[in-house]
Every structure is written in structure tokens, then in C-alpha cells.
Amino acid sequence: MNAMDATLSTPANAAGPAEIRFENVTKTFGRMGGGDLFKAVDDLNLEIRPGELVAILGKTGCGKSTMFNMIAGLLEPSQGKVEVSGHNPFTEFNWFRGKIAIVFQNDRLLPWRTAIQNVELGLEMLEVPKAERHATAQRWLTQLGLGGHENDYPHALSGGMRQRVSIARAFATNAGILLCDEPFSALDEMTGNRLRAEFANLVRENGKTAVFITHSINEALQIGDRIVVLRRPAKIAYDVKLPRNADKAVQEEIRLKIQAVLSE
Amino acid sequence: MPGAVLLGRIARTAAPFVLMAVAWQIASLFFPPYLFPSLVAVFWRCLEILTHWSQLVDVLATVSRILAGLAGAFVIGAAMALAMARSKAVDGFLSPILTFFQGIPALSWVVFAIIWFHGIEFRIFFIMVLTTLPAFTFQVLGALRAMPKDLVEMVMSFRPSRAKIFRVMVLPSILPEILTAWKVNLGNASRVVVVAELVGATGGVGYQLLQQQQIFDMAGALAWTLQLVFFVLIVQYVLTLIETVAFRYRAVSERSL
């Protein structure tokens, strides 16, 4: 064990029940036109505790999004078991209503709905009364600096504003688990940095468990309480918990380690 | 919109119609009325149809038949399209049948309906539905398949009920194609209904056209035809109004294609 490992707790040893659990999970896909199966996730074991903000880091095509889609219940594992809050996210469709919210890589706003109507979407699914959901959506839009743009359609908003609307949509449902798939990768550096900081604060203030997919080491260091580095096909290559307010030397040490793992 | 621009637009729209009317009127000066009647005579016949209940009821009967046929075809076609979008087996079964139906001429359906059924109204409804059903089904199916996958996934991530998926995602997404399908099928239906009435009905615009043909009354034939044209124009205008309101969310480029 080197000096850095001594200062950082090992996540796998953390106490308490897991909020998200991958148990020997493998996911394969058939190739177009037949042939060999493509393995995207390989015997993955991972536990994420309540309240953790975990950055999942890996090269393009390493299976990050496949893993993300399995937590979201959009894909089913080929082998092994994925559990979220002790339930199967793929088969128990209705149980997860209001319990998981997602911020996607692109904003995915419904073009026929105004900003506030887009934020209200998840609340509509939860049968929240109209006045209440309108007030909640308004509060989140205001909190994310979009006051005055409630009735704008997505085409009238900038990329950064649209992504803020999608963040407001995710937070408005007050889901305990937040999944984010490279939500700031398409934004310019300034806007991305600002939104990243705002996003991390919101997650911590609201006590969410969050999984943040990224391919950027800087982004993972800026956002995560814990960083899980995946190799291809998805399997944990490095798993480290970051101390709060880690000083630059520790961050630099982690960065070098991640770079070394990614270049293997 | 400034008055001059509006006037210019109206003039451009009206110009081809005015030109056709002038050409017809000139022809009426050189040919007998049973070939090219004066537009004044046609105008009075139009007015007579619209102001006499005994004649207007024929126009309304035809309009009702068109709308009932289109509504029936749309409801059945949309249900079939939904089933086809959900199941490859259903798609594989229905697609060839609908494609086969598309090749059957409207006049053949008229003959089949006369042989198979007694009731006039049911015959016409059957003909209208069968001739517009394949187009409605394929158009709705195309719209369902063209729904953006990323938006569907986003909506599904909130784990909605089936009714909610339909209301918040499916319907708004396919509405533009539905309105286009109605516009296209409206023109087809107005042509088919006349054929159906011409052969197998005792009332309606088609039946009246047959009467005018038997007495060589060109002014009457033109006036009855214009009733259908006016109806199609009114419905097209209503559909365009719906589009303007329903699709106001669309970004409009200042540079046209």
C-alpha cells in the first residue's frame, strides 16, 4: 500500500447497505449480421452507498453507458445481478417511479413543451397536483438561474440553459438516486465548470446518491466523492474515495494514478 | 403584417384563380352553355344549392360521408399502426395485406360493396374506409417509428404509465404526421366519395352530378363540384389553423429552403 492509499479510505470496505449493487454482472450484445458477441461489461462487482457521489471514469467505449443504462433499468444484464435499493431496476418498472432521476448527455427536452412544462414532466408522472408541480418547477428553474425563461420553448434557449432545464427536471422529482451521463461534455469550458460546481453542490445539499459518468479526469476530480475507473470491457481497474477538500497534492497524486491506470 | 404586404400575398394567391375564371368566361362567349356556361349562371346555381335545404342536404350528406369515412379509417388505421409498431409479428401479418389493398382501385371497392351490402350508407362507409385505410395506417406507423429514441428513453426513465406515455410523448410526437395524413387523405376521400355516390347512392353530390350529366347541365355539374371543392378548402384551412397553433414551438429559420 503506498502513501496515497493510506490517506484514502477504500470504498469496498465502507459500512452500511449498498444503494446500488452490481454482482458479477456481464453484459453482451449481438453484432449486426451475426458473428461473435460483443462484451461491454465483464463480471463487474460494485457497491455504491447512500449519499455517495461516484464518478465513473473510463475511455470511450469501455462500457460506462451500458453500466449506466443497467442502473437506469433501460438494459438487463446478460449474467449476474443489478440491484438498486434492493430491487431489480429492469423488471420492477413501476416500483422505481420517482426514485431515480437522470441527466443525459444531451438535454433531451421535449421540443413541444416550454421550459417549465419540461421541468414538470417527472412530477406529472408522479400525479403531483398541477399547482404544486408548477410551483416546484418554478422554484428549480429560479434556483438554476432560469427565472424569466419559464415559458420559452427549448429552441429559444442556449445549450447551457437547456442543460440547466434538464438538471431542474431531474431534481424536481426529488428522487433519491441521480444518474448523470456526461451531462456537461457538450458545453463550453466556462459554462461546464460553472454548472459542474452548481450540480455537485445541489447533489450534496439535497443528500442524493449520484452516479456521474465521465471520460474526463478533471471532471471526475471536480465532482466525485469517489472515483471508479473502468477498463474495457467494463471492470473496475481503480476505485478511490476522495477526502473532502482534498489538497492539490493529493488530487495530483490521484490524477497520476488514474492516468497510469487508463494508459495500461 | 403591413397592409401592402398582405394585399400582395392575397393577389398572388388569387391570381391563378382569376386567370382561370377569365379564360372560362371568355370560352363561354364562344361555346354553347352545355359546354361552357357563364360563370354568372354557375354562381347562381351555387347560391341556389346553398340556400335551398332540399339541395343543401345533399352537400351535407356527402360531407358527413367523407368525415365519417376518414374518421373510421383513421381510428382503425391508428389502432393497427400501434399494434404493428409494438409487434413485429403483427407488422409482418398486416403489412402485406395493406400493401395488397393499396393496389385495389377505388372503383373495384365500389363494385364489391354493391355486391356484398344492401345499405347505401354502409356501402359508402365501407368504400371510404377501405380506400383510405392503408395510407392512414402506413402514415401513422411511419410517425411512430420516427419518434426520437433519445426522447422516448428520457420519458421512459420517469417510468410513466401507458396512458401517460401516450399523452406526453406519442401523441405530440406523431401529431404533425397525423395532420399531414388527414390533409392528403381528405383530397383522396373527396374524389372517392363522388365515385361511390355516382354508382351506389340516391343522394349526395355524386348522385347530383349524375343527374346533371343526364340533362347535360354543365352549370349544375360545375356548381355541385364546387361544393366539394369549397368543403375541402375549408377543412384544409382548419387543419392549417390547428398546425399553426399546435406547432408554434417549432423554430423558424429566417432563410427559407
Side-chain angles (χ1 to χ4, degrees):
Chain A
M1 185 178 282
N2 62 27
M4 182 193 73
D5 290 337
T7 59
L8 305 173
S9 63
T10 309
N13 296 333
E19 183 87 288
I20 298 167
R21 184 199 305 271
F22 280 69
E23 202 177 302
N24 305 110
V25 172
T26 297
K27 179 67 187 176
T28 49
F29 295 100
R31 292 182 197 273
M32 292 283 279
D36 296 341
L37 292 175
F38 167 72
K39 192 181 277 188
V41 177
D42 181 20
D43 196 27
L44 178 68
N45 287 287
L46 174 68
E47 290 191 347
I48 294 171
R49 311 276 164 203
E52 274 190 316
L53 201 176
V54 181
I56 307 284
L57 183 66
K59 288 179 184 171
T60 305
C62 76
K64 302 187 296 284
S65 293
T66 304
M67 181 188 160
F68 175 92
N69 285 333
M70 284 194 280
I71 304 172
L74 300 172
L75 285 176
E76 193 176 24
S78 307
Q79 283 171 33
K81 193 164 73 175
V82 176
E83 275 185 357
V84 179
S85 307
H87 292 260
N88 182 327
F90 188 80
T91 56
E92 297 178 65
F93 187 83
N94 290 334
W95 190 89
F96 281 96
R97 190 172 295 143
K99 294 187 174 69
I100 297 177
I102 302 179
V103 186
F104 293 93
Q105 191 167 16
N106 49 6
D107 55 77
R108 302 197 187 191
L109 299 183
L110 297 177
W112 49 83
R113 287 182 157 229
T114 60
I116 197 158
Q117 286 169 341
N118 267 288
V119 178
E120 285 180 45
L121 184 71
L123 299 168
E124 274 180 61
M125 306 303 173
L126 296 171
E127 308 283 354
V128 175
K130 193 172 181 179
E132 191 184 329
R133 69 173 186 248
H134 192 81
T136 306
Q138 177 69 64
R139 183 163 52 78
W140 277 106
L141 282 177
T142 307
Q143 186 160 351
L144 283 155
L146 287 167
H149 293 283
E150 296 85 354
N151 297 316
D152 287 346
Y153 283 101
H155 75 78
L157 301 172
S158 69
M161 290 161 97
R162 285 201 296 269
Q163 198 56 291
R164 279 167 196 262
V165 175
S166 78
I167 292 170
R169 179 179 63 196
F171 275 95
T173 56
N174 200 23
I177 298 168
L178 204 58
L179 305 179
C180 311
D181 188 6
E182 305 190 40
F184 311 124
S185 60
L187 302 177
D188 66 80
E189 198 178 336
M190 292 279 283
T191 310
N193 280 337
R194 200 171 59 240
L195 280 184
R196 224 168 271 135
E198 286 175 18
F199 172 81
N201 284 337
L202 284 173
V203 170
R204 288 180 183 119
E205 280 169 15
N206 291 278
K208 310 282 185 198
T209 304
V211 177
F212 194 99
I213 303 280
T214 180
H215 61 259
S216 157
I217 299 174
N218 284 340
E219 187 166 62
L221 286 168
Q222 189 182 345
I223 282 218
D225 298 332
R226 177 182 164 194
I227 299 174
V228 173
V229 183
L230 299 180
R231 65 169 165 78
R232 192 184 300 162
K235 193 163 186 171
I236 296 175
Y238 181 54
D239 185 351
V240 62
K241 193 160 187 174
L242 274 78
R244 273 290 155 81
N245 305 319
D247 61 37
K248 285 204 168 174
V250 173
Q251 286 211 4
E252 197 50 38
E253 205 170 346
I254 294 171
R255 180 197 307 278
L256 291 172
K257 176 72 179 171
I258 292 171
Q259 280 173 342
V261 169
L262 286 175
S263 59
E264 276 172 13
Chain B
M1 188 182 291
V5 175
L6 184 65
L7 275 175
R9 186 174 289 184
I10 292 171
R12 277 194 299 278
T13 308
F17 297 105
V18 171
L19 205 67
M20 273 198 306
V22 168
W24 185 281
Q25 192 60 28
I26 291 169
S28 73
L29 300 174
F30 299 98
F31 292 95
Y34 69 87
L35 290 180
F36 287 93
S38 149
L39 287 180
V40 179
V42 176
F43 172 78
W44 286 116
R45 284 303 301 274
C46 283
L47 208 61
E48 186 188 326
I49 294 167
L50 292 171
T51 52
H52 287 77
W53 179 248
S54 60
Q55 295 181 50
L56 184 64
V57 80
D58 279 313
V59 178
L60 296 177
T62 300
V63 167
S64 308
R65 286 163 182 161
I66 293 174
L67 292 178
L70 285 176
F74 173 68
V75 170
I76 298 168
M80 284 167 70
L82 275 170
M84 290 162 80
R86 286 176 62 84
S87 160
K88 276 188 179 172
V90 176
D91 183 25
F93 178 75
L94 288 178
S95 275
I97 296 174
L98 290 166
T99 308
F100 178 78
F101 277 17
Q102 272 188 314
I104 299 174
L107 197 57
S108 300
W109 285 118
V110 173
V111 174
F112 300 160
I114 291 170
I115 295 170
W116 284 342
F117 308 114
H118 282 296
I120 289 168
E121 293 308 325
F122 187 76
R123 272 181 193 165
I124 294 174
F125 180 73
F126 174 82
I127 295 160
M128 300 301 294
V129 168
L130 266 295
T131 49
T132 50
L133 182 66
F136 265 130
T137 309
F138 285 131
Q139 278 155 334
V140 174
L141 181 63
L144 286 169
R145 288 190 173 146
M147 280 196 303
K149 181 175 169 278
D150 58 346
L151 293 186
V152 174
E153 277 185 359
M154 183 278 293
V155 172
M156 293 303 281
S157 75
F158 287 109
R159 316 243 168 185
S161 62
R162 279 194 198 286
K164 285 240 161 60
I165 297 170
F166 191 79
R167 194 175 63 76
V168 306
M169 179 69 217
V170 178
L171 193 60
S173 181
I174 67 173
L175 189 60
E177 280 76 11
I178 287 178
L179 287 176
T180 304
W182 268 84
K183 279 183 168 180
V184 171
N185 286 317
L186 180 69
N188 292 337
S190 68
R191 285 188 285 274
V192 172
V193 78
V194 171
V195 178
E197 288 177 341
L198 203 70
V199 183
T202 53
V205 173
Y207 172 77
Q208 289 294 345
L209 279 172
L210 187 64
Q211 303 301 306
Q212 310 312 308
Q213 181 248 308
Q214 284 167 355
I215 57 173
F216 278 82
D217 183 353
M218 189 62 190
L222 210 55
W224 282 103
T225 304
L226 284 173
Q227 304 308 312
L228 261 189
V229 174
F230 292 150
F231 163 71
V232 171
L233 287 177
I234 289 167
V235 177
Q236 293 275 13
Y237 179 72
V238 171
L239 291 173
T240 306
L241 271 184
I242 294 172
E243 279 181 340
T244 308
V245 175
F247 308 143
R248 64 189 181 281
Y249 63 83
R250 285 174 168 173
V252 179
S253 173
E254 288 185 11
R255 188 179 293 281
S256 67
L257 289 172

